[in-house]
Amino acid sequence: MALTPLESESIEVIREVASQCDNPVMLYSVGKDSAVMLHLAMKAFYPAKPPFPLLHVDTTWKFRDMIDLRDRKVASLGLQLLTYTHEEGLAQNITPFTHGSAVYTDVMKTAALKAALDKYGFDAALGGARRDEEKSRAKERIFSFRDAHHRWDPKNQRPELWNLYNTRKNKGESIRAFPLSNWTELDIWQYIYKENIEIVPLYFAKERPVVERSGTLIMVDDERLPLHRGEKPQLRKVRFRTLGCYPLTGAVESDADTLPKIIQEMLLTTTSERQGRLIDHDGAASMEKKKQEGYF
Amino acid sequence: MAHQSALIAEDIESYLQSHAAKGLLRFITCGSVDDGKSTLIGRLLYDSKMIFDDQLSALAGDSKKFGTTGGELDLALLVDGLAAEREQGITIDVAYRFFSTDRRKFIVADTPGHEQYTRNMATGASMADLAIVIVDARKGILTQTRRHSMIVSMLGVKRVVLAVNKMDMVIYDEKVFRRIEKDYAEIAAAFGLKDVLAIPVSALRGDNVTALSENTPWYEGPSLLEHLETVEIHGQDSSLPFRMPVQWVNRPNADFRGFAGRIASGAVAPGTRVKILPSGKLSSVARIVTYDGDLEESTAGQSVTLTLADEVDVSRGDVIAAADAPCEIADQFETRIIWMSEKPMVASRQYLLQSGTARSICTPAKPKYRIDMQTLEHEVCKTLAMNEIGVCDIALDRKIAFEPYALNRTLGAFILIDRLTHETVAAGMITHALRRSQNVHLQDLSVDQAARAAIKGQKPCTIWMTGLSGAGKSTIANVVEKKLNAMAKHTVLLDGDNLRHGLNKDLGFTEQDRAENIRRVAEVAKLMMEAGLIALVSFISPFRAEREMARELIGEGRFIEVFVDTPLQEAEARDVKGLYKKARAGEIPNFTGISSPYEAPENPELRLETVGQSPEELAEEILEFLMNRDFLSR
């Protein structure tokens, strides 16, 4: 079957990263966007394997189903997976409960990612972010520069014309490349459906144990979730529109247990995707701030 | 997102099929500050039901906080993403927006009207099929409107919608609309924009945006959205000849050698005869390999991997083209350049050029002219500053496969990159190749440099001495030359002052002239080395970029950069020629160290600290270095 324009554009971007950068890596979060990006990377270099490893920043609070799919996927494709956990944060016992979502995300995700990139000396990291996700993403380049401290300067972005990507950088600087920049959430789902890409089962509705906290349904994925007094997990038919650390990811009640039903639900719904992610609500323009500080 | 909601609710599978078949239109919006671009896009998103409930409630909050609509929903805030601009109330960068209707998917590049950000508009236009040029009905055509239309035309955007906005502010007066429509027709004609449709709208009130408005009964055309949904997408013409720049050579094992790339034009099938450019080697396509199986045919826009029937040498940067209609190759071009850096262009300085997947080193000549955006007249100029557009010849260090931009965006577009800061400094479009580049061939010389050097019993090199005026460059160079002469070595000394009396007497001290000064002396040094000589160059050569250019030209390994390091106070105290005194008095403009910078070498082959050492001792250091590097025997 012929490739679609979005698919071809993404493959072109992934190949440019491999061709022009010395030591690239693909960030693999195991979410649906990552699944699509990985699939495209397999296409880009076929019959060879992608010439870069995958990197998963493991906060230790990911859903168990995510880790399971990650390990199976990597083994079946025969790819190299690097996992990184911020040991210092772990030693200090920084969890979403003890330190709040802002500090936790800063240490276990943002700082961890920076440390991982520094540890391996990666000069380019492919990420699955899309421009339609959030307002400040809409202005980011496909090839986005980070200074030696991994900071993004929105006022100092290089012009990006045609499909000519300037990957030259100074020592210590690095690149984040976003091959899915021009995909929408609908495009992603449609592609997963068309290409039959395996995704984490949590996207499909099923009875799961949840607790309700300030209007958000949190899944009790393991015994580490501290229950408030009188709080009792209830079985409800829920699914996740977006996946991250389970204590910070809200579930939605749903009957959508097939891909067409998920897409149907998404199209008929009136709440945008990131609402399930608690970190976006930490303050006005918070995603932009996080990105300037090095969050992916 | 209520569009097609019936179909979505009842038959999701058919909906998915219809969505998959939808075309994609990429367009840009451009206009001046406050013309209402962001509001217009916000209106398209809002009216096509692309706004979610949570976004709407956030918007209501933002409108109270930052809005300019007195508490009503400020749709511009949906689009203005960055915190800084939310506060300033202007869009400062390109933002991409996505929406779809029953008929089409759209990607919108919201591009800024603020004068200093013209480069972002060019960025948005480079990928667009259509441009919406927004004009404030109260203000009519402005300088920015002309500038934007010019860029739209230059970047090959064929279709334009002239959105005459804020019609509500002129009480939907047809005369106002018609006058602007007529004024714009002149601009469109001047820029060769043939496909223009003018629509009277009010982004704020929604008139004629997604549906025709009762306020403009005199307007008989389509609404903006209807036009966007139905305008013909200027697809890739499949009758164009096949071209594919090679991105990546795929060699998983000894048995497979594929060439991965995205097809720039035309179509390809197994058996297609192809020519590899610039080498000119011929072969034919064996297979079109993809993850989903081999293809029978593939067309423009697709990312594929080709294998060839013969073992020919192909690497990244080459272009695989139809053998019966290959593209041209050349190394000198007439181009149009949009300068995008705060540092102006320096003619004769070398920049990296990226076109297709090829990289080369590019030397722009002095611009032929720049275009005055007010009058559209051609103006003589020496350089291009930020946001200026000019016509300029360029020369590359190698031949590349290309096509004129008007024929092929992929093979006619390029960017220029500063070699030191790595910044993208310009976008360019090839108009055509220069004849001289196709006809002048290098003479094959039978007595070569090695032969000339051999009878002199020496190894040619260039000793490039850089430093402040009065640092002691010429004094040391003289001593070195005397010593070499005594060792029966053949030398030549090129001195800044002396060359400026002859070869370079037409040059002044501006940044451009200094760059040309250095280019010439580097070329002369290279000729002297060809003659088998050891060249001593004593030049202030204050800019790193030019010294790098000289290094490139002369060749790493034979270029010995000597930094004659004398602190400014010391050089000024010596002031052998009395120049510092004059410079301090303001009598000499652009004097290095005083009113023009000196960029010290970062990694010179040799650094001489002159304070406390005699010229004799310093000259010995240079000779020692030459011996250590085997340019001289002990």
Side-chain angles (χ1 to χ4, degrees):
Chain A
M1 186 188 288
L3 290 96
T4 66
L6 283 175
E7 197 179 13
S8 289
E9 179 183 88
S10 303
I11 289 173
E12 182 181 36
V13 168
I14 294 170
R15 286 174 177 165
E16 278 304 283
V17 171
S19 306
Q20 291 204 53
C21 300
D22 295 328
N23 189 20
V25 67
M26 179 172 273
L27 297 187
Y28 181 55
S29 75
V30 211
K32 64 183 195 311
D33 303 292
S34 270
V36 167
M37 181 166 64
L38 179 58
H39 189 73
L40 291 166
M42 295 302 294
K43 289 197 173 192
F45 302 100
Y46 180 85
K49 295 267 163 67
F52 40 71
L54 307 182
L55 173 66
H56 183 226
V57 174
D58 190 350
T59 60
T60 73
W61 290 96
K62 299 292 173 191
F63 289 96
R64 286 175 299 169
D65 278 356
M66 294 173 75
I67 303 299
D68 178 57
L69 176 66
R70 178 194 77 186
D71 293 343
R72 265 194 302 113
K73 196 80 197 162
V74 168
S76 71
L77 295 176
L79 300 177
Q80 188 196 354
L81 172 77
L82 305 168
T83 58
Y84 188 90
T85 302
H86 201 284
E87 294 299 338
E88 216 175 300
L90 209 57
Q92 289 173 20
N93 198 28
I94 293 179
T95 70
F97 314 109
T98 50
H99 292 73
S101 80
V103 172
Y104 165 77
T105 304
D106 184 50
V107 175
M108 297 309 284
K109 291 176 86 171
T110 310
L113 174 62
K114 290 190 223 175
L117 295 175
D118 288 344
K119 177 181 171 187
Y120 297 101
F122 293 124
D123 65 339
L126 286 150
R130 308 188 319 267
R131 284 172 174 158
D132 82 327
E133 275 178 80
E134 195 270 339
K135 278 198 273 192
S136 80
R137 290 259 190 241
K139 308 211 163 186
E140 192 156 7
R141 306 290 187 253
I142 294 178
F143 281 70
S144 185
F145 280 76
R146 298 293 187 272
D147 67 14
H149 307 291
H150 300 281
R151 288 180 70 102
W152 179 58
D153 179 0
K155 291 206 173 159
N156 192 23
Q157 298 196 80
R158 289 176 180 175
E160 195 168 79
L161 293 99
W162 301 288
N163 36 15
L164 293 173
Y165 303 110
N166 170 10
T167 59
R168 303 271 292 196
K169 54 199 171 303
N170 295 308
K171 212 171 151 52
E173 292 174 346
S174 60
I175 293 172
R176 305 283 189 278
F178 302 112
L180 304 180
S181 286
N182 289 327
W183 294 57
T184 63
E185 188 183 4
L186 177 57
D187 293 326
I188 293 285
W189 281 117
Q190 184 131 40
Y191 191 68
I192 288 171
Y193 181 52
K194 177 181 147 230
E195 299 278 314
N196 199 16
I197 298 170
E198 185 178 3
I199 52 171
V200 183
L202 295 161
Y203 286 112
F204 299 99
K206 195 183 143 184
E207 290 212 327
R208 297 187 169 95
V210 293
V211 291
E212 188 170 339
R213 289 184 181 171
S214 21
T216 305
L217 295 176
I218 301 294
M219 177 174 159
V220 186
D221 194 45
D222 58 35
E223 69 294 339
R224 291 181 297 170
L225 185 84
L227 294 177
H228 298 169
R229 196 205 304 245
E231 201 175 46
K232 247 186 149 178
Q234 312 168 313
L235 276 185
R236 289 214 220 164
K237 195 159 188 191
V238 295
R239 65 178 207 88
F240 293 85
R241 301 184 59 196
T242 169
L243 291 177
C245 299
Y246 81 81
L248 294 176
T249 309
V252 290
E253 288 197 86
S254 166
D255 286 320
D257 51 8
T258 65
L259 275 170
K261 283 188 197 165
I262 289 175
I263 298 171
Q264 185 174 38
E265 185 184 280
M266 184 203 94
L267 289 170
L268 297 175
T269 195
T270 50
T271 326
S272 74
E273 184 182 12
R274 293 194 77 92
Q275 204 190 28
R277 282 193 204 177
L278 302 182
I279 57 168
D280 277 359
H281 300 304
D282 282 347
S286 67
M287 174 63 86
E288 186 181 340
K289 216 178 280 165
K290 284 199 178 65
K291 275 199 322 180
Q292 286 183 22
E293 287 157 8
Y295 182 72
F296 207 81
Chain B
M1 290 216 265
H3 65 278
Q4 279 190 315
S5 51
L7 186 58
I8 293 166
E10 284 152 26
D11 188 353
I12 182 68
E13 309 249 351
S14 343
Y15 172 79
L16 287 175
Q17 273 173 15
S18 79
H19 183 80
K22 279 179 199 171
L24 173 67
L25 182 80
R26 291 178 192 244
F27 67 92
I28 59 166
T29 53
C30 33
S32 295
V33 183
D34 298 334
D35 282 346
K37 288 178 312 296
S38 296
T39 309
L40 185 65
I41 296 175
R43 170 64 64 184
L44 281 170
L45 298 177
Y46 184 75
D47 285 0
S48 60
K49 311 284 194 293
M50 296 302 289
I51 312 298
F52 293 103
D53 282 356
D54 58 329
Q55 289 175 329
L56 212 54
S57 68
L59 177 65
D62 280 359
S63 297
K64 289 201 187 97
K65 215 155 147 198
F66 309 109
T68 55
T69 47
E72 280 187 62
L73 281 188
D74 186 348
L75 297 174
L77 294 176
L78 281 173
V79 182
D80 288 346
L82 300 183
E85 62 199 78
R86 229 173 284 161
E87 283 149 25
Q88 290 166 20
I90 54 162
T91 310
I92 57 166
D93 206 322
V94 190
Y96 296 90
R97 292 285 147 195
F98 305 82
F99 69 100
S100 63
T101 65
D102 298 354
R103 301 194 223 176
R104 249 181 204 170
K105 301 202 289 179
F106 300 94
I107 301 181
V108 194
D110 180 19
T111 60
H114 205 278
E115 186 139 3
Q116 72 202 78
Y117 292 105
T118 294
R119 63 178 210 172
N120 295 323
M121 210 217 106
T123 303
S126 74
M127 297 293 273
D129 305 304
L130 176 146
I132 301 182
V133 175
I134 302 166
V135 174
D136 184 332
R138 296 167 303 175
K139 296 182 192 156
I141 309 291
L142 301 176
T143 304
Q144 285 289 319
T145 318
R146 304 169 81 91
R147 183 189 289 255
H148 292 155
S149 303
M150 162 96 192
I151 296 171
V152 161
S153 150
M154 262 182 92
L155 281 135
V157 183
K158 304 264 189 267
R159 299 174 200 287
V160 172
V161 172
L162 179 71
V164 180
N165 192 23
K166 306 197 181 179
M167 285 303 294
D168 54 317
M169 306 293 275
V170 296
I171 332 166
Y172 303 99
D173 184 347
E174 181 179 5
K175 271 182 278 172
V176 173
F177 172 74
R178 296 296 172 206
R179 184 174 46 74
I180 294 172
E181 183 182 33
K182 189 163 154 284
D183 287 351
Y184 191 77
E186 283 174 35
I187 293 181
F191 293 129
L193 295 167
K194 295 192 184 84
D195 189 337
V196 179
L197 175 71
I199 306 179
V201 299
S202 165
L204 193 67
R205 307 272 162 230
D207 300 288
N208 296 330
V209 177
T210 51
L212 287 178
S213 167
E214 288 172 7
N215 294 318
T216 53
W218 42 264
Y219 172 72
E220 291 177 340
S223 71
L224 177 60
L225 188 63
E226 190 188 342
H227 183 60
L228 295 177
E229 283 180 321
T230 51
V231 67
E232 194 189 320
I233 298 175
H234 187 73
Q236 284 278 358
D237 186 349
S238 61
S239 67
L240 291 173
F242 170 70
R243 279 107 181 70
M244 185 184 93
V246 176
Q247 265 192 297
W248 172 265
V249 179
N250 195 335
R251 295 214 71 170
N253 55 57
D255 302 327
F256 186 91
R257 197 151 162 271
F259 307 103
R262 191 166 178 202
I263 300 172
S265 68
V268 68
T272 303
R273 291 288 296 163
V274 291
K275 193 171 197 174
I276 315 304
L277 298 166
S279 75
K281 298 244 164 46
L282 290 165
S283 186
S284 57
V285 172
R287 295 169 55 198
I288 305 172
V289 180
T290 79
Y291 179 87
D292 303 295
D294 283 12
L295 299 180
E296 285 306 309
E297 194 197 48
S298 191
T299 54
Q302 301 204 331
S303 285
V304 293
T305 300
L306 305 181
T307 64
L308 300 180
D310 310 275
E311 283 230 357
V312 288
D313 192 22
V314 184
S315 46
R316 178 177 163 89
D318 290 347
V319 173
I320 302 179
D324 54 1
C327 43
E328 288 178 80
I329 58 169
D331 58 3
Q332 292 185 46
F333 306 95
E334 184 186 284
T335 66
R336 295 182 184 201
I337 289 181
I338 304 174
W339 199 257
M340 298 184 160
S341 166
E342 282 172 16
K343 282 198 254 165
M345 178 176 113
V346 179
S348 300
R349 177 170 287 179
Q350 293 183 323
Y351 297 93
L352 271 183
L353 178 139
Q354 200 168 316
S355 63
T357 57
R359 272 208 185 139
S360 52
I361 292 169
C362 163
T363 312
K366 200 178 81 176
K368 289 181 172 168
Y369 57 85
R370 73 174 161 230
I371 296 161
D372 181 309
M373 298 309 295
Q374 296 275 5
T375 61
L376 305 181
E377 308 236 317
H378 299 173
E379 282 183 336
V380 178
C381 63
K382 284 191 169 172
T383 180
L384 294 174
M386 181 133 161
N387 289 318
E388 286 186 338
I389 297 171
V391 168
C392 190
D393 288 350
I394 61 169
L396 308 185
D397 68 334
R398 72 198 69 172
K399 288 191 190 304
I400 58 165
F402 78 98
E403 278 191 301
Y405 184 79
L407 280 184
N408 188 325
R409 274 185 176 183
T410 309
L411 289 177
F414 62 87
I415 53 172
L416 295 181
I417 301 168
D418 185 287
R419 299 178 69 200
L420 294 175
T421 64
H422 306 313
E423 186 194 356
T424 301
V425 292
M429 287 141 283
I430 294 174
T431 319
H432 55 76
L434 299 179
R435 286 246 161 255
R436 60 174 179 264
S437 123
Q438 287 148 319
N439 296 332
V440 179
H441 296 281
L442 287 175
Q443 291 297 321
D444 194 11
L445 306 169
S446 48
V447 176
D448 63 4
Q449 184 189 61
R452 294 186 204 104
I455 59 166
K456 299 186 182 69
Q458 64 186 41
K459 271 194 196 170
C461 64
T462 294
I463 302 166
W464 189 283
M465 309 191 40
T466 170
L468 293 168
S469 174
K473 297 181 297 296
S474 296
T475 314
I476 300 167
N478 271 312
V479 181
V480 172
E481 191 172 31
K482 257 188 229 165
K483 287 178 181 278
L484 287 171
N485 192 275
M487 295 163 78
K489 298 296 171 192
H490 300 252
T491 57
V492 64
L493 175 55
L494 303 170
D495 179 273
D497 289 347
N498 294 353
L499 257 74
R500 279 190 175 276
H501 284 298
L503 178 66
N504 291 352
K505 70 178 171 192
D506 56 325
L507 301 176
F509 290 88
T510 61
E511 209 176 336
Q512 282 77 20
D513 281 2
R514 282 177 188 260
E516 175 60 13
N517 188 34
I518 300 303
R519 189 191 68 79
R520 289 188 199 172
V521 73
E523 288 283 4
V524 171
K526 193 178 169 199
L527 285 173
M528 295 298 164
M529 283 170 53
E530 279 295 318
L533 303 180
I534 297 171
L536 289 137
V537 175
S538 166
F539 265 64
I540 297 174
S541 45
F543 302 121
R544 226 170 267 147
E546 272 68 57
R547 294 194 303 266
E548 284 307 307
M549 162 177 84
R551 180 185 293 274
E552 195 81 37
L553 194 68
I554 287 162
E556 187 76 42
R558 297 207 240 167
F559 180 83
I560 301 159
E561 188 176 16
V562 179
F563 176 27
V564 182
D565 190 0
T566 305
L568 180 63
Q569 304 96 297
E570 176 67 21
E572 194 168 353
R574 291 181 199 162
D575 206 4
V576 194
K577 301 172 197 160
L579 295 174
Y580 281 95
K581 212 183 206 172
K582 284 191 188 169
R584 287 285 181 203
E587 289 166 34
I588 311 177
N590 298 322
F591 190 80
T592 301
I594 308 291
S595 46
S596 179
Y598 178 77
E599 300 171 357
E602 282 171 344
N603 292 303
E605 272 71 13
L606 200 56
R607 180 166 159 266
L608 303 179
E609 284 183 51
T610 65
V611 179
Q613 296 209 74
S614 70
E616 188 76 21
E617 289 168 316
L618 296 165
E620 277 303 327
E621 276 192 49
I622 293 180
L623 291 182
E624 188 66 30
F625 180 88
L626 293 177
M627 286 175 195
N628 288 340
R629 293 290 169 96
D630 288 331
F631 285 102
L632 295 176
S633 48
R634 285 180 197 270

